Amino acid sequence: MFRGFYTAASGMIAQQRRTEMLTNNMANANTPGFKADQSSLRAFPEMLLTRFDQQTSSTPKGVNLPFNKKIGSLNTGVYMQETIPAFMQGDLKETGISTDIALMDVSLPENSSVFFTVAGPNGEQQYTRNGNFTVDGQGFLTTASGLYVLDEAGKQIQLTSDQFTVNENGVLTGEAGETARLGIAFSNDPNRLIKQGDGLYRTEDGNALGSAYNEAGGGFKLQQGFIERSNVDVGRTMTDMMTAYRAFEANQKVLQAYDRSMERAANEIGRIG
């Protein structure tokens, strides 16, 4: 009886976490460069039930009962194993703003991706697909949250104004003739990156990713005056949220049925006779 409680409860917890993930996707449907999370549900390891037999006074002499007998397996519920961002290209939206820069995948190797390189809060390199940049009061190119955008050598990019051009190869030319090349990082397995929030990612070991100009070749290009939109499919996300809610509700009803059965066992069976 109690196993039923645990199985239904694990289903409710898994669907609640899935709903929270889908809600976060929906909330970021208009966030530039956002990559929608996907979840994977897994079953807990199954238990093998075995009946243990013992010799009793009623067992005929000379008869040896088996020490144990396999009954079968028992599933103990599900859990949400992990959430993995889907690094598919988002649609490009034209803004006409010079500080907006979009990364466009052209012919990257399968399951790989490229990212802008920015300086994290502690100076470490972090990565983003959000090209909604700005120029701060000191002329440094930064993200919307104030992190410095880095060039190919890992240095901050300082400009005289926000009137600059960027070609499809990442070469940035300022109004006063200053030049730099945007730092673009390449990951052949972006699923191994750790999500930091605010559209940022970092590597597991803290080591910097390699330059996409060397490793990805001509597999990507940059587009100034555009931003990459979120790759969240709003319609599908709404459908998945309803499915998760219905699954949560079904597990809830099972849990309530078990609770009523336990209540009757505790309050009514003892009064029989």
Side-chain angles (χ1 to χ4, degrees), residues 105-114 186-188 190 215-220:
D105 303 337
V106 179
S107 57
L108 291 175
E110 188 176 3
N111 299 323
S112 65
S113 188
V114 292
F186 172 79
S187 174
N188 57 8
E215 300 186 41
F220 70 97

Side-chain angles (χ1 to χ4, degrees), residues 28 38 41 49 60 87 112 133 184 191 200 227 240 259 264:
N28 286 281
Q38 302 175 104
L41 297 181
L49 301 182
F87 288 97
S112 65
F133 299 142
I184 308 298
N191 289 330
L200 297 171
I227 56 171
D240 289 344
D259 185 57
R264 294 187 63 183

Side-chain angles (χ1 to χ4, degrees), residues 8 21 28 46 62 67 76 94 112 132 220 237 249 256 263:
M21 179 204 71
N28 286 281
E46 293 186 348
F67 177 68
T76 54
E94 185 173 7
S112 65
N132 180 211
F220 70 97
T237 302
E249 190 177 46
Q256 290 171 344
E263 183 181 6

